[in-house]
Amino acid sequence: MSGSETQSQTVPEDEVINNCDWYNIPCHADWAVKEMDLALANLIDGVLMAFADLINYLPVPQFLIDAEPVYLPAALSWAAEPFQLEYGLNIIVAAYVMRFTIKRIPFIGG
């Protein structure tokens, strides 16, 4: 590369703070919409994190603490292993618990 040639360097879009002229209203409006989207995302994240913290403080009933694990016989366990029964049952139980919980929320659960 010779000295007279210049390399054009592009700045990544993430690093551009504000590339709008003062009279370019649509550019400023686009920036405002992006900022409102970020604020809404942060608000939703905060609400969901507060809900998760609230779930952690709920007491666990004693009958769940005292429950003994259920084991399948070896032959049945061997046949069920390719279907990942343990993983699937965890998902199903979590889905039913979430459905039960959502049904109790006013204006959402109906």
Side-chain angles (χ1 to χ4, degrees), residues 44-58 98:
I44 291 172
D45 182 52
V47 168
L48 290 177
M49 291 302 291
F51 183 68
D53 287 341
L54 179 68
I55 295 286
N56 287 332
Y57 288 117
L58 291 177
M98 187 56 74

Side-chain angles (χ1 to χ4, degrees), residues 72-81:
L72 295 174
L76 187 59
S77 177
W78 177 81
E81 186 66 31

Side-chain angles (χ1 to χ4, degrees), residues 29-82:
D30 188 38
W31 171 82
V33 167
K34 288 179 185 176
E35 288 296 318
M36 289 172 37
D37 284 345
L38 284 174
L40 182 62
N42 284 336
L43 177 69
I44 291 172
D45 182 52
V47 168
L48 290 177
M49 291 302 291
F51 183 68
D53 287 341
L54 179 68
I55 295 286
N56 287 332
Y57 288 117
L58 291 177
V60 177
Q62 189 63 35
F63 72 89
L64 286 177
I65 295 172
D66 296 339
E68 295 182 18
V70 178
Y71 295 105
L72 295 174
L76 187 59
S77 177
W78 177 81
E81 186 66 31

Side-chain angles (χ1 to χ4, degrees), residues 86-104:
E86 180 182 351
Y87 182 68
L89 287 176
N90 286 338
I91 291 174
I92 291 170
V93 169
Y96 275 121
V97 168
M98 187 56 74
R99 185 177 82 171
F100 176 81
T101 305
I102 289 175
K103 289 271 189 189
R104 282 10 183 213

Side-chain angles (χ1 to χ4, degrees), residues 17-35:
I17 295 173
N18 190 358
N19 203 13
C20 299
D21 293 323
W22 66 271
Y23 53 83
N24 191 353
I25 294 174
C27 184
H28 292 292
D30 188 38
W31 171 82
V33 167
K34 288 179 185 176
E35 288 296 318

